Amino acid sequence: VSPPSRHQPVAILAQAVQGSQQRIWFSSYPSLSFSAMKLNIANPAGGLQKVFEIDDDKKLLPFYDKRMSSEVSGDSLGDEFKGYIFRISGGNDKQGFPMKQGILCNHRVRLLFKKGMSCFRERRKGCRKRKSVRGCVVGPDLATLSLVISKKGEAEIPGLTDDQRPRRLGPKRASNIRKLFNLEKKDDVRNFVVRRELNEKKKKAPKIQRLVTPAMLQRKRYFRSQTRQRMVLGKKLKEEYTKRLSEYRQEQKELRAAEVAKKKKEKKETTK
């Protein structure tokens, strides 16, 4: 690429050699030095993941200037990735700062984080913290790029798609167990819990969460009856209070009337 003159735009266009026609705006990145990037590729269908180190920057050109959650073809990475489509799920730069979704830039920024935001864990209740995170646009300054297989290609990738690693633990919530085994409401979820073998004689099963049992329904009915009884008792006490209050006010009214009559009588007697 010829150096830009003063009349040309500052952005320099580089074209991929292998006919991919991918363009990169080099002015977006402070340094143009390329180094090896690690691709952490995950296969959710098989439960496996593998790290590949890519030294050739031309293979990574299709990934540059793509945002997180974008889908990119893996044909440029090599023949073994032909037909694969990857989804960009994140990454870290060379200093270890993570990419954050929604930050539309290819450099680091400092943001004020609070509870519920990604890339932040609340240490004390209500605290906020200003941290450095990297934008969600892929660039050559990344050290690791995380990818997820969206579509599998023709060839098998050793250690990634050629094996199945089942989940070590099954679902714990009752609704998720029903969803996994396609159960109906009348089926007993406790018979379908995924049990983990500790040894030949002993197995371990998780405690099912949100399980509807007769004891739980009885407890719920008991709590509702207690609430109802408290409401009835409160209503009764309020009626008694209002009744006693009206009686008290009537008594005070009569006492004041008697005092006024007494004073009038004394005043008349003194005037005579």
Side-chain angles (χ1 to χ4, degrees):
V1 179
S2 60
S5 65
R6 59 178 181 174
H7 300 292
Q8 290 177 339
V10 182
I12 304 171
L13 296 179
Q15 199 172 25
V17 178
Q18 298 177 352
S20 60
Q21 301 297 323
Q22 294 289 336
R23 294 184 175 184
I24 299 178
W25 294 88
F26 281 90
S27 65
S28 302
Y29 308 104
S31 63
L32 300 179
S33 60
F34 293 97
S35 60
M37 185 185 295
K38 292 181 180 179
L39 299 182
N40 189 353
I41 303 177
N43 182 20
L48 297 173
Q49 67 177 12
K50 191 175 180 181
V51 177
F52 298 87
E53 191 164 345
I54 308 296
D55 298 325
D56 191 1
D57 58 292
K58 295 173 185 175
K59 294 182 178 180
L60 300 172
L61 287 176
F63 293 91
Y64 292 159
D65 289 339
K66 295 290 191 302
R67 286 158 53 177
M68 284 175 62
S69 71
S70 298
E71 292 189 347
V72 184
S73 175
D75 295 344
S76 63
L77 298 176
D79 294 335
E80 57 179 335
F81 298 99
K82 194 170 183 180
Y84 282 83
I85 294 178
F86 300 110
R87 177 174 56 83
I88 302 173
S89 60
N92 296 328
D93 62 4
K94 290 181 173 61
Q95 286 74 35
F97 292 95
M99 296 173 69
K100 179 171 171 56
Q101 182 69 283
I103 311 300
L104 304 180
C105 62
N106 53 11
H107 53 82
R108 283 202 295 266
V109 294
R110 283 179 62 82
L111 301 177
L112 188 64
F113 286 83
K114 64 178 182 178
K115 183 180 179 182
M117 299 176 70
S118 60
C119 305
F120 176 70
R121 180 167 60 89
E122 187 184 40
R123 262 64 172 189
R124 295 178 62 184
K125 186 177 180 181
C127 72
R128 297 187 298 169
K129 189 176 182 181
R130 192 172 293 278
K131 288 182 62 179
S132 292
V133 290
R134 198 196 174 279
C136 67
V137 180
V138 180
D141 60 326
L142 291 179
T144 307
L145 185 64
S146 300
L147 304 174
V148 178
I149 296 177
S150 298
K151 183 184 176 183
K152 187 179 176 183
E154 299 175 359
E156 297 283 349
I157 301 175
L160 186 62
T161 60
D162 59 347
D163 194 10
Q164 291 283 335
R165 180 175 293 178
R167 291 175 57 183
R168 176 175 164 269
L169 302 176
K172 194 174 183 182
R173 191 181 298 176
S175 59
N176 291 337
I177 297 173
R178 287 194 184 93
K179 186 178 179 182
L180 177 64
F181 294 101
N182 197 16
L183 303 178
E184 297 180 358
K185 200 169 185 180
K186 61 182 181 181
D187 295 326
D188 192 359
V189 180
R190 289 170 288 190
N191 299 330
F192 294 89
V193 180
V194 179
R195 300 179 184 274
R196 181 164 56 92
E197 290 188 4
L198 298 177
N199 48 47
E200 295 180 357
K201 297 182 180 179
K202 196 172 182 181
K203 292 184 178 181
K204 189 175 182 181
K207 181 183 177 184
I208 303 175
Q209 302 295 322
R210 303 186 187 180
L211 179 63
V212 179
T213 59
M216 192 271 286
L217 294 175
Q218 174 61 31
R219 196 181 308 117
K220 199 172 182 180
R221 285 195 296 268
Y222 172 74
F223 288 149
R224 285 183 176 176
S225 66
Q226 291 290 100
T227 305
R228 200 176 300 112
Q229 289 176 11
R230 285 196 297 269
M231 289 172 62
V232 172
L233 181 62
K235 194 174 181 181
K236 183 181 178 182
L237 292 174
K238 186 178 179 181
E239 289 176 356
E240 293 178 356
Y241 172 75
T242 51
K243 184 180 178 181
R244 181 69 189 95
L245 184 63
S246 61
E247 291 176 356
Y248 174 76
R249 285 176 177 170
Q250 186 65 27
E251 290 174 0
Q252 293 295 318
K253 196 174 181 181
E254 292 175 357
L255 285 173
R256 281 196 298 272
E259 287 179 2
V260 170
K262 186 178 179 182
K263 285 180 181 179
K264 285 183 179 179
K265 188 177 180 181
E266 290 177 355
K267 194 175 182 180
K268 284 182 181 179
E269 290 179 352
T270 52
T271 51
K272 289 179 180 180

